[in-house]
Amino acid sequence: MAAAVLVRGGGRLYLVDVEEGSARALLPLEDTPEPDPAGPSSADALRRTLSRYPSPPELLVGEPSLGAWLEGIGLPSKPAPLPELRRARERLPDRPFALERSTFLQDAHRRLTEALASPEQTLIALAREEERLERVETREEGAADEWIGGATGDLAEYAEAWGTFRASVREHRARLLGRLERAAESVAPNLSAIVGPRVAARLISAAGGLGALARMSSSRLQLLGTRRRPGGRRGPKYGVLARSVVAAGPPPGREGAFARSLAAWAAIAARADATTRRSIAEMLLARRDARLKRLHAGPRT
Amino acid sequence: MRPKDRYQRLGRSARLWRRTNEEPPSYWTEALAGAQPVYGERLVHAENRWLRRWEPNRSKLGAAIAKGWTEPLPQEGERWLYLGAASGTTASHIADLVGPAGSVYAVEKSLRPFARLLRLAERYPNLAPVLDDARRISGYLGLVPPVDGLYVDVAQPDQVEIALENARTFLRERSSFLLVLKTASMGRDRSPREHLESAIDAMHRQIEVEEEIALDPFHRKHYLIGGRPGRALFRPVEAYRARPPFRNRDSRVARES
């Protein structure tokens, strides 16, 4: 039985006859960057080509997605063995690179915009922006206050303008925070409940995504946002998580112990958010309160 | 007055230059897309062309060249597949090397570096960016044709498998193969040297390794491995299906050799 390989090449679909010595039966089916598998024209063109064979050839596919498409239109296929696939791909006509490149650029733009517009990526962008604004407010404003403080004369006028500017930066950041918190609560409700939406957003941004965070061990999550200290001295206790550790108010001297527990709950919460999306926040909060009570009660538990 | 700078072509490459009147010498590629730096590198106009300085501290291939690497390297007119292009620092130099007649397909999966790569590709007429994961070949299999060279710098625990899998799919018999081995990604239970040896063992007969070089002091615990496809690379895939099991990045389990 003859075999033909269905393969994408340079943004088109081709049916390549591997039995023949020549590059016969090359068929450009679609001229879109990613051939739309649901497109009726592809299916029709393929059927037309297949009808030219004396007996229907065995269909081999280069990619799983093409196999699924064939199954959808009622044609059986098998994954192409590598040697056949290589031979088929070498027979595809070389399209001029300049022509291909525009397909690549379009495709890249589309995929990048789509990916960046996802709720998770929006959250990461917001979290990074908020971090930047926080730096502006704490470091730069402090520096300005130092020398503008007791301004008189011309400088007083400037100081007033600066005050207006500062107020608008603060307002901007407050609005940003609102958006950030809403985004965090919708992307990661459990994590936001246990560590607070702002820290949740920063954790996700530091990990590079909710999926990446969910795959982390709690000990790694605990240290996100810190740098490893050089030398063999004791390492840091917490990074991004610090704010929520302090907010929970563990007894002095036991912050490290509390941070470990908090990281463990946060890891569980992130996994729930990334997979089942079940609400487990109440259970985790109850555990947190119990742990805090025990830490406050005795010297060592 | 400062003596005039002297530039000399290096090796087989028509577009790779060395500035010889300094110690250590610096390396330069002929700028393909005008007199504009890509990552803040220096540009000079010499020998009637614009040359971009190849910073060994920023680029691993640049570091290898600064340490005397000669072959294999991208040559003029060749088609290269670059996995792990990040924001395109090294990719721009490879694009310079292959010149207007060649092309570079650059695969990167993180969004933010890719956005910068895309901006670069818009002014580099021989650079084609692909937003995809090098582990998921089927995503770009239909877009990238067979190539003359494969450059892999993915810094993943399974970087050798990723490189082999792509080599099998995209390389031809006389193609070049370059792999940047980041040993720190493969666990700290073994020395970098041991990691290098196990990587070369893993490629046994699939890649004929011609050269390897440590990238110290520019990039610590990194190696560049260069070679060509071996005879076993193109045998049916079933023989090589046995892949190492998935390992968590945190695990300290030693890989069986």
Side-chain angles (χ1 to χ4, degrees):
Chain A
M1 192 160 110
V5 181
L6 190 67
V7 64
R8 280 200 294 152
R12 291 171 178 219
L13 260 182
Y14 290 100
L15 186 68
V16 184
D17 198 319
V18 285
E19 307 282 299
E20 301 256 325
S22 69
R24 195 184 71 102
L26 289 186
L27 177 78
L29 292 173
E30 286 275 315
D31 210 356
T32 53
E34 260 185 36
D36 175 15
S41 60
S42 311
D44 285 347
L46 180 63
R47 285 214 186 83
R48 265 202 307 282
T49 314
L50 288 177
S51 69
R52 281 186 223 141
Y53 282 81
S55 69
E58 184 181 19
L59 282 176
L60 305 171
V61 288
E63 301 166 43
S65 63
L66 292 174
W69 170 62
L70 285 178
E71 199 168 59
I73 60 170
L75 289 168
S77 67
K78 287 206 307 201
L82 199 76
E84 269 77 25
L85 183 60
R86 294 185 57 79
R87 248 183 294 157
R89 285 169 49 71
E90 270 162 22
R91 293 219 189 119
L92 299 186
D94 252 348
R95 302 213 305 167
F97 183 74
L99 196 72
E100 243 178 59
R101 182 173 162 269
S102 61
T103 324
F104 272 89
L105 288 181
Q106 273 172 28
D107 198 38
H109 268 295
R110 187 177 52 79
R111 284 165 84 167
L112 185 66
T113 353
E114 264 169 31
L116 286 176
S118 74
E120 192 180 331
Q121 290 299 327
T122 312
L123 176 65
I124 291 175
L126 286 174
R128 293 200 178 155
E129 182 64 7
E130 196 268 326
E131 220 171 315
R132 195 178 65 82
L133 282 178
E134 188 187 65
R135 269 204 306 277
V136 169
E137 267 189 34
T138 51
R139 191 191 301 160
E140 304 300 324
E141 278 192 13
D145 287 343
E146 225 160 68
W147 64 271
I148 283 183
T152 50
D154 274 356
L155 208 53
E157 217 172 280
Y158 172 75
E160 211 182 299
W162 157 249
T164 328
F165 174 70
R166 173 159 67 184
S168 77
V169 169
R170 286 208 173 141
E171 203 191 314
H172 175 63
R173 180 161 170 238
R175 272 205 302 272
L176 178 75
L177 264 175
R179 288 185 68 161
L180 176 73
E181 285 174 2
R182 262 175 286 135
E185 276 158 6
S186 84
V187 170
N190 290 311
L191 186 62
S192 299
I194 191 81
V195 298
R198 250 165 94 188
V199 174
R202 284 199 185 178
L203 284 172
I204 291 172
S205 133
L210 184 58
L213 188 67
R215 267 179 267 121
M216 256 174 212
S217 58
S218 76
S219 44
R220 236 184 121 192
L221 186 150
Q222 185 185 345
L223 297 183
L224 272 182
T226 61
R227 282 173 177 272
R228 205 171 280 136
R229 281 189 197 158
R233 313 230 324 270
R234 293 184 69 175
K237 291 186 195 135
Y238 30 71
V240 176
L241 212 58
R243 201 187 297 258
S244 17
V245 171
V246 175
R254 304 307 316 271
E255 290 92 349
F258 181 70
R260 280 196 300 278
S261 310
L262 188 64
W265 302 316
I268 294 170
R271 286 166 203 167
D273 288 332
T275 54
T276 62
R277 308 233 16 117
R278 234 171 48 208
S279 174
I280 56 166
E282 253 173 61
M283 182 262 285
L284 291 177
L285 286 176
R287 282 198 202 174
R288 184 189 71 177
D289 294 340
R291 174 80 170 135
L292 267 177
K293 223 162 120 191
R294 256 186 300 144
L295 281 176
H296 277 290
R300 296 277 143 173
T301 44
Chain B
M1 201 184 108
R2 199 163 166 264
K4 197 169 180 296
D5 289 329
R6 280 200 306 278
Y7 296 87
Q8 216 175 56
R9 281 208 171 86
L10 187 71
R12 266 199 310 137
S13 259
R15 300 175 61 90
L16 179 59
W17 297 75
R18 174 163 61 168
R19 185 150 93 188
T20 50
N21 57 315
E22 56 187 2
E23 195 51 50
S26 56
Y27 295 84
W28 305 70
T29 58
E30 194 176 327
L32 183 83
Q36 208 184 328
V38 172
Y39 55 97
E41 75 281 18
R42 281 194 58 196
L43 277 145
V44 294
H45 191 75
E47 316 276 336
N48 286 327
R49 64 200 83 215
W50 280 101
L51 299 176
R52 289 172 52 227
R53 186 174 176 147
W54 203 339
E55 294 289 347
N57 285 315
R58 299 287 303 276
S59 163
K60 278 151 215 155
L61 189 54
I65 287 172
K67 292 193 73 179
W69 182 273
T70 49
E71 290 276 315
L73 273 182
Q75 301 294 336
E76 204 168 356
E78 284 184 344
R79 190 152 64 193
W80 276 70
L81 173 60
Y82 189 132
L83 305 179
S87 45
T89 306
T90 305
S92 70
H93 283 293
I94 292 187
D96 280 349
L97 288 180
V98 299
S103 50
V104 177
Y105 296 87
V107 178
E108 172 58 41
K109 78 162 177 180
S110 341
L111 301 177
R112 268 149 258 271
F114 185 81
R116 294 179 57 190
L117 179 66
L118 187 54
R119 275 206 299 281
L120 176 72
E122 266 156 9
R123 66 189 184 85
Y124 257 77
N126 65 351
L127 194 58
V130 184
L131 178 61
D132 221 316
D133 189 338
R135 284 196 192 88
R136 209 176 63 94
I137 293 177
S138 69
Y140 51 94
L141 175 71
L143 296 170
V144 180
V147 294
D148 304 309
L150 174 68
Y151 183 89
V152 185
D153 183 5
V154 289
Q156 294 294 317
D158 53 346
Q159 51 196 340
V160 176
E161 287 80 37
I162 293 175
L164 282 176
E165 211 47 51
N166 279 277
R168 207 167 281 144
T169 316
F170 293 103
L171 288 192
R172 297 189 275 222
E173 276 175 25
R174 313 281 310 156
S175 302
S176 314
F177 174 88
L178 288 172
L179 167 64
V180 176
L181 198 71
K182 179 178 179 181
T183 58
S185 302
M186 299 165 76
R188 276 177 288 177
D189 51 333
R190 292 204 235 169
S191 73
R193 191 82 222 167
E194 285 166 341
H195 277 306
L196 173 71
E197 277 159 18
S198 82
I200 291 177
D201 284 348
M203 298 191 292
H204 178 64
R205 298 183 109 204
Q206 305 191 59
I207 298 293
E208 299 294 344
V209 175
E210 292 173 357
E211 273 224 58
E212 82 249 3
I213 195 171
L215 301 183
D216 292 308
F218 305 110
H219 304 271
R220 285 160 62 210
K221 299 183 180 174
H222 284 74
Y223 290 91
L224 181 69
I225 302 173
R228 313 221 170 253
R231 308 182 89 187
L233 187 65
F234 300 130
R235 292 221 193 104
V237 72
E238 281 70 29
Y240 302 101
R241 216 50 25 108
R243 280 181 160 189
F246 172 77
R247 294 181 315 139
N248 190 304
R249 203 178 295 182
D250 283 343
S251 77
R252 298 278 182 275
V253 185
R255 180 179 304 195
E256 64 282 340
S257 51

